[in-house]
Amino acid sequence: EFWLISVPLDKVSCQSLEKLKRVTAKNEQTTSTRVHIPELKVGTLDVLLGLSDDLSRLDSYAEGVLHHTWQGLADVMEEFSGKLLESMLPNAVDLATYVTKFQWDRAKYPPVQPLKTLTDIISKQVSQVDTELTSRRAAYNNVKSSIQSIERKTDGSLQTRVLIDIVKKEDLVLNSGYLTTLLVVVHRSAYALWERSYESMSKFVVPRSSWRLAEVADAGIFTVTLFKNSVPEFKANAKKHKFTVREYNPDEAEKQKQEMSRLAVDRKELCRTFVCWLKVNFNEIFVAWIHIKVLRTFVESVLRYGLPVSFQFVLLRPNKKNVKQLRKQMNCLFKHLDPAANGKADVGFDIPDVSTGQQEYYSYICYPIQIKMVDPS
């Protein structure tokens, strides 16, 4: 977790900031870094007030898309425990380093543009990724579901499962004008009965033509060859003995096999392109999200501290064990900015079911940046 804070450049605040740096320097696990931003166009008060709300919503929206993109990667990468985090490298550095060494991307977000235009650029970018993510994920899941549906049919009892992986063409009599091969499911306890009786279920059964092809759970599947015109008689007698004659069409089975192969190839290709797309767009959205945090901090700083622009950004990475103590020290150091503030709830950002990124109000401006959502370490 990081805290992006902003304080004015007045004498008292600068002295407090220096004290804060000394405090963090004493704790090796807490770091502070100055964040440099370009000169941004301020605009009117009305525009800033509108942007404050827009950026709050955009912050939550971008964070949600970031989560979904990461989850998409986690779902499609078979071995992602280490490789997943390695793939999340905005500007070829890890997430924490990118945040710590943040530099405004002037090419993507030209600082000469009004703040409203910059916000619209980022909003459009996030929205496009969100829309395409939904489409690509649906396409991948459709192929995945089709494969799972076929795979489910190849499991289970011999009474209902497809027989693609059990029956081969050489097990059957094909292209004969008179003979055909039936597939019969026999309970394991009735094997002996089958061997004694199958030849007598019709006068036109080929002697010793039965072979057991497979055994699954408590049953086996047997072949039997007979004349085609005696099939109805054989089926009726098999039913009396509680043997199940399975319908099997070699041509349909071959089509199913080809369909499974095609779907497997499609899934592999979709997975490859989807993963590449997710990696690129996760990085893009992460970069956009951090710029949103900076824009929010800038807009709030102008609204809170006034003009001319005279404040500085500092990025803190607090030691998890000393978060409460650090927050208490900061409240004391910057109490002069707003004596009434003491980590109270900021009702201005209290939107039901929406994480605005700032749940408490402090005398200084502070926006948390949580990257643990994609970095369990």
Side-chain angles (χ1 to χ4, degrees):
E1 181 182 11
F2 295 89
W3 297 346
L4 181 59
I5 69 168
S6 169
V7 295
L9 286 172
D10 62 78
K11 183 177 180 181
V12 176
S13 297
C14 288
Q15 290 174 344
S16 298
L17 192 58
E18 288 304 314
K19 289 180 183 178
L20 176 63
K21 290 178 180 178
R22 290 196 293 271
V23 167
T24 57
K26 291 178 182 178
N27 189 330
E28 294 180 356
Q29 291 182 296
T30 299
T31 60
S32 63
T33 310
R34 178 79 180 271
V35 179
H36 298 279
I37 63 170
E39 186 176 337
L40 299 172
K41 287 192 173 184
V42 175
T44 64
L45 178 61
D46 287 344
V47 170
L48 290 175
L49 288 170
L51 278 176
S52 179
D53 292 336
D54 292 344
L55 286 167
S56 173
R57 288 187 288 269
L58 183 56
D59 188 352
S60 299
Y61 180 41
E63 186 174 355
V65 175
L66 199 63
H67 273 279
H68 294 152
T69 308
W70 168 76
Q71 191 59 53
L73 266 172
D75 289 344
V76 300
M77 292 182 72
E78 293 181 1
E79 296 178 6
F80 67 90
S81 56
K83 295 176 184 178
L84 180 62
L85 297 180
E86 291 171 10
S87 70
M88 297 174 173
L89 302 174
N91 292 10
V93 295
D94 64 83
L95 304 183
T97 301
Y98 177 81
V99 176
T100 305
K101 298 183 177 181
F102 172 80
Q103 290 185 338
W104 186 273
D105 193 327
R106 293 173 177 269
K108 288 181 181 176
Y109 315 114
V112 295
Q113 296 288 345
L115 294 177
K116 182 70 169 69
T117 301
L118 294 177
T119 303
D120 289 344
I121 290 172
I122 297 176
S123 179
K124 184 178 181 181
Q125 179 187 6
V126 175
S127 180
Q128 286 176 339
V129 170
D130 188 24
T131 300
E132 191 169 352
L133 173 62
T134 302
S135 175
R136 284 177 176 268
R137 194 162 193 170
Y140 177 79
N141 285 338
N142 284 340
V143 173
K144 183 179 176 182
S145 296
S146 297
I147 291 176
Q148 289 174 339
S149 177
I150 294 176
E151 287 176 343
R152 280 194 295 270
K153 293 177 182 177
T154 61
D155 296 328
S157 72
L158 289 170
Q159 304 278 355
T160 57
R161 64 182 288 174
V162 296
L163 304 174
I164 302 171
D165 56 337
I166 294 177
V167 182
K168 300 179 178 63
K169 283 189 175 183
E170 51 265 34
D171 298 323
L172 309 172
V173 173
L174 300 173
N175 304 318
S176 170
Y178 302 99
L179 296 175
T180 187
T181 302
L182 297 182
L183 300 172
V184 185
V185 179
V186 180
H187 196 275
R188 185 181 295 179
S189 61
Y191 284 179
L193 175 61
W194 167 259
E195 294 292 345
R196 291 196 308 269
S197 62
Y198 81 88
E199 292 181 1
S200 62
M201 290 185 192
S202 171
K203 292 185 295 182
F204 301 102
V205 173
V206 177
R208 289 175 291 183
S209 63
S210 178
W211 297 93
R212 190 176 73 196
L213 301 183
E215 187 175 70
V216 177
D218 57 354
I221 190 160
F222 291 77
T223 61
V224 59
T225 302
L226 65 163
F227 280 79
K228 290 180 179 179
N229 57 11
S230 64
V231 168
E233 179 191 6
F234 185 92
K235 285 183 175 180
N237 287 322
K239 187 175 182 180
K240 291 178 184 178
H241 289 85
K242 296 183 178 179
F243 301 142
T244 303
V245 178
R246 287 291 311 272
E247 297 295 333
Y248 186 78
N249 185 319
D251 294 332
E252 288 298 320
E254 184 61 29
K255 287 180 182 179
Q256 283 186 318
K257 190 173 182 180
Q258 291 174 0
E259 177 67 6
M260 280 194 72
S261 298
R262 184 188 66 79
L263 287 171
V265 172
D266 288 350
R267 183 185 181 186
K268 186 176 181 180
E269 179 60 19
L270 273 174
C271 180
R272 185 187 66 80
T273 57
F274 192 26
V275 166
C276 290
W277 183 90
L278 286 165
K279 288 179 180 180
V280 170
N281 285 278
F282 173 87
N283 294 337
E284 290 291 314
I285 294 300
F286 186 81
V287 169
W289 184 52
I290 300 304
H291 281 75
I292 293 169
K293 293 289 188 183
V294 173
L295 281 175
R296 286 192 75 184
T297 308
F298 179 84
V299 169
E300 191 64 27
S301 297
V302 176
L303 290 173
R304 184 94 68 92
Y305 305 141
L307 294 172
V309 173
S310 182
F311 43 80
Q312 60 178 313
F313 291 1
V314 176
L315 186 72
L316 295 175
R317 189 175 193 179
N319 177 359
K320 294 179 182 178
K321 296 180 181 178
N322 298 328
V323 167
K324 290 184 178 179
Q325 182 182 354
L326 179 61
R327 187 67 82 180
K328 186 176 180 180
Q329 291 171 328
M330 291 173 66
N331 288 339
C332 292
L333 287 171
F334 300 107
K335 189 174 182 179
H336 64 280
L337 294 174
D338 187 350
N342 188 24
K344 62 187 178 183
D346 183 358
V347 294
F349 289 98
D350 187 15
I351 304 174
D353 301 322
V354 173
S355 172
T356 63
Q358 180 166 334
Q359 300 301 315
E360 294 179 306
Y361 176 84
Y362 302 101
S363 54
Y364 51 94
I365 293 168
C366 177
Y367 286 100
I369 301 174
Q370 298 273 6
I371 65 170
K372 64 182 179 181
M373 59 178 170
V374 291
D375 189 350
S377 61

